[in-house]
Amino acid sequence: MKIRSLLALVGLAISFALPAFAQEKETVDPQIRQQLDALAKKFDEASNKADAAALAALFTQDAVEVAPRGTGLRSTSA
């Protein structure tokens, strides 16, 4: 009976502790957030104008596009 009570107490302790850990959030540095917002704005503007050169300027020389199906480096023909 003591073991059952001990397990119940441990279970309760864990159930109360988990929501406290779940509420801890990693916050993004405000300066990085501003840089990301500015980059997204530039991307949207270039995309809306269909300006391929401006879009390309937002990426590095060795950028790799990652799509839901993968990196796009693989051949689609099988």
Side-chain angles (χ1 to χ4, degrees), residues 3 10 21 23 25 27-31 39-40 43 47-50 54 56 58-60 64 66-67 71 74 76:
I3 292 176
V10 169
F21 289 119
Q23 290 178 2
K25 296 181 182 175
T27 57
V28 178
D29 181 16
Q31 187 177 16
L39 183 62
F43 183 90
S47 182
N48 290 337
K49 294 178 184 177
L58 297 173
F59 294 91
T60 62
V64 176
V66 178
T71 61
R74 289 182 235 129
T76 56

Side-chain angles (χ1 to χ4, degrees), residues 6-44:
L6 180 62
L7 288 176
L9 286 174
V10 169
L12 282 172
I14 290 173
S15 68
F16 287 128
L18 286 178
F21 289 119
Q23 290 178 2
E24 292 180 18
K25 296 181 182 175
E26 294 183 30
T27 57
V28 178
D29 181 16
Q31 187 177 16
I32 292 174
R33 178 67 186 189
Q34 286 176 345
Q35 292 172 349
L36 289 172
D37 288 341
L39 183 62
K41 184 178 178 183
K42 288 180 184 179
F43 183 90
D44 288 341

